[in-house]
Every structure is written in C-alpha cells, then in structure tokens.
Amino acid sequence: MVAQTFSGSIREAHAAARAEVNEISDWDAWIDGRGYSSDEQLETTDPVVGEPITTIPRCDARDVDRAVDAAWEAYETQWAETTPRDRSKLLFEWTEKLRDHVDELALLECVDTGKPRSQARGEVEGAIDTIEYYASICRAEDGRQITTGDDLHLYTRKEPYGVVGQILPWNFPIWAAAWKLGPALAAGNAAVLKPSADCPLTAIRIAELSEGVFPDGVLNIATGTGSEVGAAITDHEDVRKLSFTGSVSVGTNVMKAAADNVTPVTLELGGKSPFLVFPDADLGRAVNAVADGIFYSTGEICDAFSRALVHEEIRDEFVDRFVDAAESYVLGDPLDEETTMGPLTSEAQYETVTDYIELGKEESATLLTGGDPPENEELRDGWFIEPTVFGDVENDMRIAQEEIFGPVQTINTFSDYDEAIKLANDTQFGLAAGVATERTSIAHNAAADLNAGLVYVNEYGPILPEAPYGGFKASGIGKDLGTEVLEHYQRTKSVYVNLSEPTL
C-alpha cells in the first residue's frame, strides 16, 4: 500500500494557505501594465480539499481586444525601438524581482496545482533560469552578410512579429509561462498570454512583478476559458504569431483558426512516451528513470514515460522492482515536506484518469498495484489517486495508445531490438522516448531510430533551456526552448543594396 501522510489538520492548513494566497494579490488579469477586472468571474479550486482558492476575471473577446491593442501600442511606441542589449537588461531585472519572491511563487504553485512544495519550488527556479537564459543569449542576436559580387551588398536582419499570442497548459503553469514569455520578449515581441483557468495564479503574479520593468502593455495576461479567451486570441487578426501547449484536439483547432489569418503557430501537444529497457540495463537506474518519468507531478506531464517496454528476459525483475518503487511514493498534503505525490490538478482530470484505470481492467491488463483513492479519509475530498501500474499490456490497448495524463504506468515486453523500436514508434505521438542500456551502440542507434523529438538515456530529465523541446507527429510543430525558439518568434528579412556606380 502506498504510504500516506496523516497531518490531522489538512483542511486547516489549506484554509490558512488560501488566506495567505489572497493576501498576495487581488488576482485580476493584467492588461496594459495594471490589474484588470471584468464583470464575470471564475472560481479556482484547491485540488487537495476541493475548496475555492479565489476568483479571477472571466475575460471575453472584448477584453482580448483591449490586451492586443495595449500590446501593439507598447510595441509601436516603445518596445520596437529596444535593442537586444536593452531587452537583456530588462529581462535580468525581471528575474531579480522574481528571485526575491521564490517562496511566494512556490506556495502559489503548490496550492494552485497540488504539486508537492519541493517540486513547485524547483519549477519556480527552473522558470527563472529559463528567463535568465534568454536574457543572456538575446544579446548575441545578429543577421548575416551574404557574399555576392562587388556591386551588391546582401544581408539579412531578424525582426519580431510584433504581438504574439500564447496559451498555457495547466500542468506546469509558471514553467510554461517562462518557456513562452522568455524567448518572445527577448526576440522583441509584446505578448498576450492566456494561463489555464484551473491554475492561473503564478502567471498573474509574475506579470504583476514585471511592473516598472517593462513598458506598460508589453506583457499582458488575459484570464478566462479556452472557448472564450483562447479562441479570441487564436482568431485575432492582429495577433501575428501563436504558441500553444495542450491537447491534440485543441491544438488542431488552434491550427485551423490560425490558418484563416495565415498566422504561424508553434504547437506542443503531448505524448505517449516509451521507455525501452534492454537486458544489459542497470535495473536500479532504469526503474528510477521510469518512476520519475511517470509519477513526478502526479503523471501530469506531456513527456511522461507512460509506456515501459521491457526485454522479456528481465521483465519479472523489472516489474517487482517497479511495483516497489510505485508503492514507495508518499501520497498526501503537498504542503507537507514528506509528501512526494499530490493530487491531480482538477476534478475533470481525476475523472479522466479513473476512467482509464477502469478501461485498463476491462481491456484485461493486469492491475499490479494502485488504482484506488487513498485510504486516508482526509484526502478523500481532494483529487488523489494512488500510483498505478498495469502489466500484461498489449500495444493496441487504449491504455497503451491514448494519453492518460496521470500516474498510470503500462508495462509490456519485447524480444529483440527491432521489436522494441517498432513497439516504441507504434503510436500517433512522438514527443519523448527513453532508453536504458549500458551499451553505447544501443543508446545511439536507438536515439536515431526512435521517432521522438527528445530522447533520454538512463534517466528522466533534466529539461534545460539550452536544448530545444518539442515533438514529432501528433506531438506538435516547432520547438520551445533552445536558440531555435527565438527563430520562431522572429521573421528574417533579406536586404539587397545596389553598390554599382550611379549613372550620370
């Protein structure tokens, strides 16, 4: 049975935490450098106890118009005139303010998403590091000169789009905000960003902490639903670039809407990532990597290692060790430092995950551990589910093909290298994959043969801003992170200068 924390006062602790949250801000949207309210409100919910945290504005298309207008005003009157050196300085100034509020931001992320506090703090620090990375590299921006004949000077210059629209997922609110805002602002754009209605607090707060750093209107946060705010951003003719992270179905709609205005898009749409465990693997490292890759953040991870493909010779030992690892997680109050797994972020996601667990049983997969709510009655009001492991899984089962987005691991086997690669690639997704082996040749061959945008060898993570992040196939288009993402937020212009002698 999974270990659980018994604080005896979870409800009281979260009431106090929610009160602290509401002392930090009024939790308005952020448009044109100030808090922005609306006539209608949305309620956000504490996933640990199912109680309201606060309310946020339910913006609509008219509010998005105001945000886009403010962004263009800031861009055309001030931001477009900044140099990479200017933007670098301001981004560093912003990160200094964010770093002064790490504990506050970690609390917000913890209460808003249900992440254990240690994970929330690590993600806050990762977000700041991401913004610092773009503050550093944007000063290296340059065009290039193209060698031609003596009578022609040909060069390129990089220019921002102007105003970009960005839509965040609910699973990594502050990190995802940094992934999008860092490069977009570094590249010289103004931004209109929509956080998830489920977890908007850290995005709002980091925007508030930009006050006095960026010109008013450079960074705007429009809170609300995807059907209202998200659709208004994707349909807006004055939004010149879109970046979306979320589900395949919504991403498809974003792409269709963008096509009407010929707006370029970057899409990161999730995955069903395999982890291949070869017979020579260090099983201790392999088990830890797979467990980290499916149980971190309660499995609500786009690149989660949700499919373990294990060589048949070591299947039994791997399963025994992996079940032990799953059962070692401490399920409990994320405010408690001993907790290693919190709740799912929303009731809707809880229902999705529990439905998939029942589906796995119906598909005749073997439930090896988990699958139930916690025994601790204090946790029954939240959206908790035990770490869950299915064995005897066939690759055509829905639990092996569809993204569950929760702490549900499937295990099936392979007999040789070719079968492992075939099984791994037999999915619509192509975000990430993992390999456990002590042989360099297998690691590099598998990295080449796996149809995925990133490959981990003998570990899960880390995700660093220096490397591009994004998938193949239905997992998306374009990249977040790395230097490549700056190119997605800029246009390249070629300039031909005639140097021939004028005719008199």
Side-chain angles (χ1 to χ4, degrees), residues 152-269:
L152 180 66
H153 176 46
L154 176 57
Y155 65 95
T156 65
R157 51 180 285 128
K158 297 176 182 178
E159 298 179 354
Y161 282 94
V163 173
V164 301
Q166 303 174 312
I167 301 174
L168 302 185
W170 44 260
N171 57 331
F172 287 91
I174 192 168
W175 217 346
W179 283 26
K180 296 195 185 299
L181 290 172
L185 299 181
N189 300 283
V192 177
L193 182 143
K194 179 206 169 299
S196 165
D198 289 322
C199 308
L201 301 186
T202 49
I204 294 171
R205 186 59 180 147
I206 65 173
E208 292 176 344
L209 292 171
S210 75
E211 184 177 10
V213 176
F214 305 120
D216 293 348
V218 167
L219 196 172
N220 303 276
I221 305 292
T223 56
T225 67
S227 60
E228 293 174 304
V229 175
I233 290 173
T234 57
D235 291 341
H236 208 292
E237 63 181 3
D238 289 329
V239 171
R240 302 294 167 78
K241 161 72 184 180
L242 287 167
S243 181
F244 169 83
T245 299
S247 68
V248 173
S249 60
V250 177
T252 301
N253 290 333
V254 168
M255 193 170 182
K256 289 177 180 177
D260 289 338
N261 294 316
V262 197
T263 305
V265 298
T266 298
L267 303 174
E268 198 269 278
L269 306 179

Side-chain angles (χ1 to χ4, degrees), residues 293-350:
I294 188 61
F295 298 135
Y296 179 84
S297 195
T298 322
E300 295 173 317
I301 319 171
C302 297
D303 61 9
F305 287 148
S306 54
R307 295 190 296 146
L309 309 179
V310 184
H311 192 275
E312 58 191 11
E313 291 180 2
I314 57 171
R315 185 262 182 195
D316 291 344
E317 184 179 358
F318 178 89
V319 166
D320 290 343
R321 291 194 186 195
F322 190 79
V323 168
D324 287 343
E327 293 177 346
S328 72
Y329 277 77
V330 180
L331 195 67
D333 180 5
L335 294 172
D336 189 327
E337 294 294 341
E338 295 182 4
T339 294
T340 57
M341 181 180 287
L344 293 156
T345 297
S346 69
E347 185 175 13
Q349 189 58 25
Y350 175 83

Side-chain angles (χ1 to χ4, degrees), residues 8-22:
S9 58
I10 291 175
R11 189 165 292 278
E12 291 89 343
H14 277 257
R18 294 194 302 275
E20 186 176 348
V21 165
N22 282 292

Side-chain angles (χ1 to χ4, degrees), residues 272-278 305 307 309 414 417-427 429-437 442-458 470-473:
K272 192 70 177 175
S273 301
F275 193 94
L276 285 59
V277 185
F278 288 94
F305 287 148
R307 295 190 296 146
L309 309 179
F414 62 88
Y417 177 88
D418 289 340
E419 184 184 14
I421 298 299
K422 181 179 179 180
L423 288 170
N425 289 338
D426 183 21
T427 172
F429 297 104
L431 180 54
V435 180
T437 180
I442 292 178
H444 288 295
N445 285 332
D449 292 335
L450 288 164
N451 203 348
L454 57 153
V455 177
Y456 300 101
V457 179
N458 294 324
F472 301 162
K473 300 191 288 187

Side-chain angles (χ1 to χ4, degrees), residues 23 60 118 129 219 260 285-286 363 365 423-424 466 488 491:
E23 290 176 358
D60 58 21
S118 61
D129 181 59
L219 196 172
D260 289 338
R285 293 181 68 187
E363 290 183 309
L423 288 170
E466 290 86 348
H488 295 310
R491 304 165 295 177

Side-chain angles (χ1 to χ4, degrees), residues 469-490:
Y469 184 99
F472 301 162
K473 300 191 288 187
S475 288
I477 298 171
K479 298 293 182 181
D480 287 316
L481 302 183
T483 57
E484 286 86 343
V485 70
L486 289 175
E487 298 173 8
H488 295 310
Y489 284 112
Q490 292 177 317

Side-chain angles (χ1 to χ4, degrees), residues 65-87:
D65 286 342
R66 293 185 181 97
V68 172
D69 288 346
W72 272 113
E73 176 69 16
Y75 176 77
E76 292 176 338
T77 61
Q78 297 184 70
W79 198 239
E81 301 302 316
T82 60
T83 66
R85 179 188 290 268
D86 296 331
R87 297 193 293 272

